[in-house]
Amino acid sequence: MGEVEEEEASMVGLDQLPSALLATIMVKLDVSSICSVGSTCKTFRHCASHVLSFIPTIHLLEIAPSIELLRPLLPPNPLMRSLKMDCDRLNDSAIRLLVRPSLHELHLHNCADFSGKLLSEIGSQCGDLKSLYLGSVAENRGRALHVSDLEELLSGCTQLEALFLMFDVSIFIRHNFARAWALASTKLTSLEIGYISSVMITELLHPNLEPPHIQPSVLPRIQKLSLSVDYITDAMVGTISRGLLSLTHLDLRDAPIIEPRLTFDLTNSGLQQINQHGKLRHLSLVRSQEFLVTYFKRVNDLGILLMADSCANMESIYLGGFCRVTDTGFRTILHSCSSLCKLRVAHGTLLTNLVFHDIRATSLSLTHVSLRWCNLLTNLGVKNLVSNVDLRVLDLRDCKSLGDEALRAIGTLPKLKILQLDGSDITDMGLSYLRWRVITSLTSLSLRGCKRLTDKGISLLFEGSSKYELQELDLSNIPSISDDGIFSLARARLPILELRLRQCPLIGDTSIMALASMQAREEGWQGSRLRLLDLHNCGGITQLSFRWLKRPYFPRLRWLGLTGSVNRDMVDALARSRPFLHVACHGEELGADPSNRLDDSYMREYEDLDEFEQWLLGGEDSGDNDDDNDDVDDEDVPMEVAEFDAEMEE
């Protein structure tokens, strides 16, 4: 009875704490932490609900709530300034909750079930909006999107400075589309569009090339422009370069479905028109091979030489698909752009070691380098490249001629944070060169498809150190990696957030047990830190693993990749028991696309959302009631955990 009375007295004490004091503390937390605190008792829950009515920022991109779960998170709040939301489970019925006059920043991802009404309502309600991101609007069948919706958005948001329309805007009628943009905020400095035709862009900016007394300029203050188009053409590049006087960032990507004709392609002449006003600092021209294996076949070294004349102050350059540019063209960039710190080349089929032969003679201090699908690059080229000791990001994926000597050179880089070596010819011995210096500083390492690696290499890599920063690791498509290799990871107690093991036939249930029991060497964390775990097509996964994928194991897991044919009923039951866990069963890549990362700034600490889910679900036990098909007793699992932990300690 004494313990009961003491507990009751403690609860009375919480009830008597001044609500103003609790609110003052909670308002300093993010929304996930506020709701986590609110899940602990009724007093805190009431206070959390009150705090949500006046906090200025709500960012909720880790989970996709339904409208029923969203309502308590978004009460009337005249002080809200920033809202970021994953809208995958929402539709037009949620507009009144999301669109608020007080907002300065609104980012809505995965809006496929919304119609054009979302755009028009934002335009009519959010006159003070400065930053707007809309992803996948009206992509689901039956959702209408009209140019009048775009007109209302652009005319109503008069303070807009950054606009990201991450969906296909080519569905708008071309003539009306250009007219709509004449209504856009004159304060707009950054624009990104998910897909638009090159003809629409050319027609949109054409008034900028006319005498000023005929028509006012469209988008007069744009500094950053990022577009995904059907074809990158001379006409479009020339119009952008001449018409946007303040442009500092230009990012153009195309994905042709047929081989481009001359009038729908980029040539040396188009490259010569880049940076006519001399303000460009960041340039990206990429031909994607998403639909067709094709290149910029009408550009050669001459085009690069002509471009380099006006790009001496460039800080970042990304060239993808320039198959006729040789070492001469790429060396011109290195020797002409003295401020260059980021260089990306993809599908540089003629790039060889000679590009970096005399890089020491330049004043360059490269920090980010990506040379993907450059198959003529060998160990010697990497040895010369790493003379840039300030390298923080190095992407050498699909450079199949690289081996252990390249890793020996890379192992001397003291500041390296991201290293990607997919498909290279490295061995276990090569990995051992990284353990003395590089492995303790890396935050991301990708070894996907390095088929000569074995468990021994993983063991060697994580021997001899007790402090790691590694948050992402990709060991996919390595046939010799087995449960023993994952044992080595678990014993090293790495602070991994994302682990990809897809297409590893020897990975089985023991690996899942090891990962579930792994704890990072960091105070305040209990259990696995993993947010993403990709086990697609791992040959040894059985129904035993599903016991370890349930709560309380992997409390922070948000993305899980499995082979659906393992046991479809159990996969479905797991998805139901963990409603905020995204379970992928069709082989799709999980999380953000790692192929587009050239910046180490994306790394961030994830919030602990386990208690947050409890708050959203009203404290109900999401439970495992659907796991009637399991053949393993829950009572056996804690005993197995203890035995397994003891084995790992040994």
Side-chain angles (χ1 to χ4, degrees):
M1 289 297 294
E3 293 181 0
V4 174
E5 291 174 355
E6 183 179 343
E7 183 177 351
E8 290 177 352
S10 175
M11 294 303 294
V12 171
L14 289 175
D15 290 338
Q16 292 177 352
L17 283 177
S19 58
L21 175 60
L22 292 175
T24 301
I25 297 172
M26 286 191 180
V27 78
K28 299 180 183 298
L29 307 176
D30 57 41
V31 63
S32 301
S33 300
I34 291 171
C35 295
S36 296
V37 172
S39 70
T40 58
C41 69
K42 291 182 179 179
T43 300
F44 282 4
R45 183 177 181 85
H46 175 76
C47 188
S49 299
H50 175 61
V51 168
L52 290 173
S53 67
F54 60 81
I55 61 172
T57 300
I58 291 185
H59 293 172
L60 191 57
L61 297 173
E62 284 296 309
I63 63 175
S66 64
I67 190 169
E68 291 78 14
L69 298 180
L70 191 62
R71 286 193 181 99
L73 281 177
L74 297 178
N77 182 354
L79 300 180
M80 187 186 297
R81 297 292 181 265
S82 178
L83 175 62
K84 297 182 181 180
M85 188 71 59
D86 185 340
C87 300
D88 189 53
R89 301 183 184 182
L90 303 176
N91 54 34
D92 283 353
S93 63
I95 290 178
R96 63 182 182 84
L97 289 174
L98 301 171
V99 178
R100 302 178 180 225
S102 61
L103 287 173
H104 291 173
E105 181 181 44
L106 178 61
H107 289 200
L108 302 178
H109 298 247
N110 302 318
C111 301
D113 261 336
F114 286 81
S115 69
K117 182 181 178 182
L118 177 63
L119 278 67
S120 60
E121 287 295 317
I122 292 173
S124 63
Q125 298 288 331
C126 302
D128 294 329
L129 206 60
K130 295 182 179 180
S131 177
L132 175 62
Y133 179 104
L134 297 174
S136 309
V137 177
E139 286 190 354
N140 285 350
R141 183 176 299 178
R143 302 299 177 185
L145 187 61
H146 303 290
V147 71
S148 59
D149 300 319
L150 180 63
E151 290 178 344
E152 290 190 50
L153 172 68
L154 296 176
S155 62
C157 298
T158 57
Q159 306 301 311
L160 208 57
E161 299 174 2
L163 178 59
F164 308 91
L165 300 178
M166 305 309 294
F167 54 91
D168 184 358
V169 303
S170 66
I171 60 175
F172 296 123
I173 300 174
R174 280 167 45 187
H175 174 70
N176 291 340
F177 181 76
R179 184 184 65 191
W181 283 96
L183 305 171
S185 166
T186 57
K187 299 181 179 181
L188 196 63
T189 60
S190 181
L191 175 63
E192 183 171 358
I193 296 179
Y195 180 79
I196 186 173
S197 71
S198 58
V199 174
M200 291 177 74
I201 281 293
T202 303
E203 294 178 350
L204 170 63
L205 297 176
H206 185 71
N208 292 7
L209 307 182
E210 302 293 338
H213 62 275
I214 296 179
Q215 271 184 305
S217 294
V218 179
L219 308 175
R221 297 186 181 180
I222 285 292
Q223 298 176 13
K224 298 181 180 181
L225 182 65
S226 179
L227 305 171
S228 179
V229 298
D230 49 355
Y231 301 101
I232 298 176
T233 68
D234 287 351
M236 182 182 69
V237 169
T239 301
I240 291 172
S241 299
R242 295 193 304 274
L244 300 180
L245 307 182
S246 303
L247 199 64
T248 61
H249 292 65
L250 178 59
D251 180 354
L252 301 177
R253 175 184 295 265
D254 70 4
I257 57 175
I258 60 172
E259 194 66 40
R261 302 192 306 271
L262 177 61
T263 54
F264 287 93
D265 204 2
L266 181 67
T267 69
N268 292 338
S269 177
L271 283 185
Q272 188 177 13
Q273 300 180 65
I274 289 176
N275 200 24
Q276 295 187 28
H277 302 288
K279 298 180 181 179
L280 202 62
R281 296 294 180 268
H282 306 271
L283 175 65
S284 176
L285 299 171
V286 178
R287 174 148 289 172
S288 168
Q289 300 189 356
E290 181 179 357
F291 305 113
L292 179 72
V293 178
T294 184
Y295 302 88
F296 290 113
K297 297 179 180 179
R298 296 180 173 91
V299 174
N300 54 30
D301 291 339
L302 176 60
I304 302 297
L305 291 169
L306 295 172
M307 181 185 76
D309 288 340
S310 60
C311 294
N313 295 322
M314 206 73 73
E315 299 172 8
S316 172
I317 293 179
Y318 181 10
L319 300 177
F322 289 80
C323 66
R324 296 186 60 195
V325 176
T326 70
D327 294 335
T328 300
F330 292 119
R331 288 183 64 194
T332 299
I333 293 174
L334 295 179
H335 288 264
S336 300
C337 305
S338 58
S339 300
L340 193 70
C341 59
K342 298 181 181 181
L343 174 67
R344 294 182 76 178
V345 178
H347 294 288
T349 55
L350 300 181
L351 184 150
T352 74
N353 297 331
L354 292 176
V355 172
F356 306 108
H357 174 67
D358 56 353
I359 194 171
R360 290 182 175 86
T362 71
S363 59
L364 292 179
S365 181
L366 295 173
T367 60
H368 297 61
V369 173
S370 174
L371 303 170
R372 196 171 184 193
W373 291 296
C374 298
N375 289 322
L376 298 182
L377 186 71
T378 68
N379 297 333
L380 180 60
V382 174
K383 289 181 180 179
N384 292 325
L385 174 62
V386 299
S387 63
N388 286 267
V389 294
D390 290 329
L391 275 173
R392 290 176 172 81
V393 177
L394 185 57
D395 180 359
L396 300 172
R397 284 175 292 173
D398 303 295
C399 295
K400 301 184 183 301
S401 300
L402 299 183
D404 292 345
E405 289 304 309
L407 280 184
R408 187 193 293 269
I410 293 170
T412 64
L413 295 172
K415 301 179 181 179
L416 196 63
K417 291 293 185 181
I418 297 177
L419 178 60
Q420 296 173 302
L421 298 166
D422 302 19
S424 58
D425 194 38
I426 60 176
T427 69
D428 296 338
M429 181 57 68
L431 276 189
S432 68
Y433 297 140
L434 301 180
R435 67 176 176 175
W436 303 115
R437 176 179 295 182
V438 170
I439 193 59
T440 56
S441 66
L442 283 180
T443 58
S444 179
L445 174 63
S446 181
L447 303 170
R448 177 179 296 205
C450 297
K451 298 190 175 181
R452 298 181 66 187
L453 296 180
T454 69
D455 295 331
K456 181 181 178 181
I458 303 301
S459 178
L460 289 172
L461 185 60
F462 298 110
E463 264 185 8
S465 178
S466 60
K467 185 177 181 181
Y468 300 98
E469 298 180 17
L470 195 64
Q471 296 184 20
E472 294 194 2
L473 179 62
D474 192 339
L475 299 176
S476 301
N477 197 21
I478 303 179
S480 297
I481 293 291
S482 70
D483 294 334
D484 290 340
I486 306 305
F487 255 54
S488 299
L489 294 182
R491 283 194 292 266
R493 300 174 66 182
L494 305 174
I496 296 180
L497 302 178
E498 300 186 6
L499 178 61
R500 293 171 171 87
L501 299 170
R502 58 194 293 124
Q503 304 288 347
C504 291
L506 301 182
I507 296 295
D509 297 331
T510 306
S511 292
I512 311 306
M513 295 167 64
L515 294 172
S517 305
M518 183 173 68
Q519 297 187 11
R521 296 180 186 273
E522 185 174 355
E523 294 182 2
W525 290 98
Q526 297 296 326
S528 171
R529 288 169 49 102
L530 281 174
R531 309 291 300 181
L532 182 151
L533 178 60
D534 194 347
L535 302 168
H536 175 70
N537 215 19
C538 289
I541 301 296
T542 71
Q543 62 186 25
L544 175 62
S545 292
F546 286 85
R547 282 294 183 188
W548 293 86
L549 294 170
K550 298 191 309 181
R551 288 196 179 100
Y553 310 107
F554 298 105
R556 301 168 182 87
L557 197 63
R558 291 294 169 270
W559 293 83
L560 176 64
L562 292 169
T563 303
S565 58
V566 169
N567 188 317
R568 188 68 222 188
D569 291 338
M570 297 186 69
V571 171
D572 292 341
L574 177 64
R576 289 192 298 270
S577 70
R578 303 188 69 163
F580 296 110
L581 174 64
H582 178 83
V583 182
C585 301
H586 303 292
E588 60 267 42
E589 293 286 350
L590 303 182
D593 182 5
S595 66
N596 292 327
R597 292 178 180 160
L598 189 63
D599 193 348
D600 54 344
S601 63
Y602 75 93
M603 284 296 180
R604 57 189 172 86
E605 289 295 334
Y606 290 95
E607 299 90 354
D608 185 353
L609 295 179
D610 203 34
E611 294 84 2
F612 181 30
E613 292 181 11
Q614 295 177 24
W615 190 88
L616 283 177
L617 296 172
E620 297 175 2
D621 182 9
S622 55
D624 305 308
N625 299 327
D626 295 313
D627 292 88
D628 297 331
N629 295 320
D630 293 351
D631 294 329
V632 182
D633 292 333
D634 287 335
E635 291 79 2
D636 295 338
V637 175
M639 184 179 299
E640 293 170 4
V641 174
E643 295 173 353
F644 190 78
D645 287 343
E647 184 176 349
M648 290 211 313
E649 289 298 327
E650 293 175 3

